[in-house]
Amino acid sequence: GGDGYVVLRDFVNAEEEEELLDVVYGEAAPPWHELQRRRLKNYGGFPHPGGMAAEALPEWLRCVADRVGALPMWNEGPINQVLLNEYVDGQGIAAHRDGPNYRPAAAVLSLACAATDMVFRRTDGGDVLAVPLPRRSLLVFWGDKFEGWTHEIAVRSGASAPPLRVSLTLRHAHIDPALSTLTAEGRAELARRKARWIRAVTDAQ
């Protein structure tokens, strides 16, 4: 329906998880963006209200994206943008919506730690939904759950705080065809959009 989500347990197995984490920590590029509550890597381009200049996903991510895109509940175009977040010692992310830069769906693959919760809150107040995210699970949410609810990962401390959680958030970002062939002006515009994206993710931490 228009307000959907599903959690798929063991979307990857233990061996696939290990291989993914080996790549995450074994490759030098792209660089980590260090934020107050977490650090992240961005793949596929920098989303912007005016559209993204698409960059090819690396092959290891393309394989994950294709598996997610083949799911029957995914109806929002090919996945072209992936955000990799690293949370240590119970770090979280504040309540936010992903906004109009994307088609209204997202998939979150949870790696490296036991269950934590994604907390959804309806933006007009009232309803709150806590969705457990087991290790190696995939959460997919779409429609009104994407557009009409915020989502967050609560900060945890003490014995309940996981030492490490890595997540991949997969989405379809809108493309700006004008940025497919970059002139000097286009490169300057791309740099401005990248800077805007970095400010936006910093504000959302």
Side-chain angles (χ1 to χ4, degrees), residues 11-141:
F11 183 74
V12 295
N13 61 35
E15 182 179 354
E16 290 170 326
E17 178 190 43
E18 182 177 1
E19 291 173 352
L20 289 171
L21 292 172
D22 284 347
V23 175
V24 167
Y25 291 105
E27 64 176 8
W32 288 100
H33 297 280
E34 302 280 350
L35 307 181
Q36 181 179 349
R37 292 188 181 181
R38 68 193 196 282
R39 64 177 186 162
L40 59 84
K41 290 188 175 193
N42 183 73
Y43 299 88
F46 294 91
H48 184 273
M52 181 177 78
E55 302 169 4
L57 295 175
E59 183 59 30
W60 66 274
L61 265 184
R62 183 75 266 156
C63 293
V64 178
D66 288 346
R67 283 176 64 179
V68 174
L71 294 170
M73 73 288 297
W74 187 270
N75 297 301
E76 296 300 337
I79 290 164
N80 59 8
Q81 198 270 342
V82 180
L83 197 62
L84 186 153
N85 284 291
E86 179 197 66
Y87 305 89
V88 296
D89 298 329
Q91 291 173 316
I93 183 171
H96 65 284
R97 287 188 295 170
D98 289 352
N101 299 345
Y102 309 95
R103 298 282 292 273
V108 180
L109 179 62
S110 296
L111 305 172
C113 93
T116 187
D117 288 348
M118 177 80 80
V119 179
F120 290 92
R121 302 179 190 273
R122 191 180 288 278
T123 54
D124 58 7
D127 295 342
V128 178
L129 175 67
V131 179
L133 303 180
R135 183 173 183 171
R136 297 189 287 273
S137 69
L138 183 79
L139 165 69
V140 185
F141 59 99

Side-chain angles (χ1 to χ4, degrees), residues 140-155:
V140 185
F141 59 99
W142 62 89
D144 186 54
K145 189 65 86 248
F146 183 95
E147 297 178 299
W149 299 61
T150 63
H151 55 279
E152 65 193 88
I153 298 289
V155 175

Side-chain angles (χ1 to χ4, degrees), residues 195-205:
R196 184 185 189 278
W197 176 86
I198 292 173
R199 289 195 302 271
V201 296
T202 301
D203 292 342
Q205 63 183 336

